Structure formats: C-alpha cells, structure tokens
Amino acid sequence: MTLNHIRRGNGSPLLLVHGLGAGWRSWAPILDQLAEHREIIAVDLPGFGETPPLTGEVSIATLTDSVADFIREQGLDGVSTAGQSMGGRIVLDLARRGVGGDTVALDPGGFWSHRELVVFGATLRPSIALVRALRGVLPALLGNPVGRALLLAQLSARPWTLSPETVLPDVRGLADSPATGAAMNALTKGPKQQGAPAGTVPGRVTIGWGRRDLVTVPRQASRATELFPDAVLHWFERCGHFPQWDAPQEATRLILDSTQ
C-alpha cells in the first residue's frame, strides 16, 4: 500500500506520523514552521486521511509495517521521524526495528499499566462516540470556548485558548476515519510497546511528554525511558496530549533540535 502523503519545504527530510485523528493534517499547527527548515514528508496512515484502510489485520505492528514499507519505497532510508500519540508509538517501533534515523516521539502510546489502559479505553471510546453523534454541529461547538473546554478537556491543558481551525481537523478525524475503531482496538487489546536495549537504535531518540496529559499520563514517561534507555526525555509544561496544540513553538524547536 502506498500511503497518501504531502511534501513541503527543503532540506534534510523529516517524516511525520500522526496519531488518531486527521491524518497528516494533525500536524497543521506546526507544519509550516517545520518546513521552513526541513523537507517535511507527512503521511496518512492506513484508514486515516486519504489512505484506504488495511485489508487484513490492523495492529501497531501492521501500521508500523506500512510506514517502514513507505520509507523503503520512497528511498528514505535513514530518515528522521517524529510521531505523536499512536504515531509516537509507531516511530519508536521503527527505531526498535532499526528503521530510520533520529526519532522524536511526543506523548507516545503503549506504556500504560493495565489499570491505566482500562481507564484509557473507558474514557476515550465514549468521547469518540460523542463526537460522532455531534458530527453535524462540531464546527459550532468548537467555535465556542466553552464548547472546546467541554469536548477537549481530555486532550488539551487549555482547550478554550485554542483556535477552532487547530482542533477541528483532528476531532473530525476521530469521528470520520474508518480506522479509528480498529486502531483503538490495536492500542487497547494488542501488546504493549517493546523496548530497545541501549546502543541498538539507529539514531538519537527523544521522548516529549506533556505534564498535563490525561491520555498517556505523565508517569508512563519513566516506563518509556526504561524501555528505551538511550532516549532523552523532554517535559512540556502546561501541556496536554497534543504538544502541537498546546506548545507549538516548543514542539517545533524540540523536533528540529533533536533530528538532522
């Protein structure tokens, strides 16, 4: 499968991998800033954006396979990667496999305890069902600070301060993407993230975490760095699950400084 993707900018290539939501448009808040310095290749994972769903099993492994195949097909061996949420887990899995170069994972999934995983599924699934039920009125609801505060409290530390243009693509993506349910099953019912022993990853690994993340809660960061001992941990203060929403300038700088 060829992943739908966009390319912007010039310089050394940087591959962006999104989480649940809008596909490559999830990176829109920081895409132009990154493209001022690098050639940005942002993909739609299978079943998100304009890439058709997988015909077989949907798992973190098969989603990672699709990105690894894309890297090979596009001649991007050694490319630096950045991912957020599920995409953060995928780029860490690429690094574990020895695929790519420098890696930045923002609030990656896969490091939950059993109890945290139960809470994650029990809270996010109803939220997805709610935005699907409200699909027709999402622009109006998200156009209001109170509506953003109510709908996005799990995803952002300060949702009322965000612009509707920032959040609407990802919220619509949660409602509309054909792979949302299958990807949620992969995250909640599949295996947890495996680690990479020291000295086995192909480049630098940087993990960024929001201090106020209510999806992948901050205490999971210590598990991530235990499993990836080569990783450098960066904390985003006053930030929820989407650094590109809550701390766009800091997220841009972290990605640029941590990749080459």
Side-chain angles (χ1 to χ4, degrees), residues 19-115:
L20 294 175
W24 71 260
R25 289 176 175 82
S26 183
W27 297 101
I30 62 174
L31 193 61
D32 289 342
Q33 294 92 322
L34 291 172
E36 290 177 3
H37 305 275
R38 309 289 292 279
E39 181 189 14
I40 302 302
I41 305 106
V43 299
D44 288 338
L45 291 169
F48 295 90
E50 297 179 33
T51 300
L54 294 171
T55 56
E57 178 191 14
V58 177
S59 66
I60 298 302
T62 57
L63 292 172
T64 305
D65 289 342
S66 72
V67 181
D69 291 344
F70 175 84
I71 290 172
R72 184 180 65 254
E73 292 164 1
Q74 297 291 318
L76 292 171
D77 293 344
V79 68
S80 293
T81 62
Q84 185 263 336
S85 191
M86 182 176 69
R89 179 170 182 182
I90 288 171
V91 298
L92 286 175
D93 211 42
L94 288 171
R96 182 186 66 81
R97 298 181 185 191
V99 177
D102 294 332
T103 301
V104 178
L106 305 177
D107 297 84
F111 301 101
W112 295 280
S113 68
H114 175 71
R115 180 180 177 84

Side-chain angles (χ1 to χ4, degrees), residues 147-173:
R148 292 195 296 278
L150 292 174
L151 284 178
L152 304 178
Q154 189 177 7
L155 302 179
S156 170
R158 304 183 305 281
W160 57 90
T161 68
L162 303 173
S163 71
E165 294 76 19
T166 293
V167 300
L168 185 57
D170 274 304
V171 178
R172 276 181 168 162

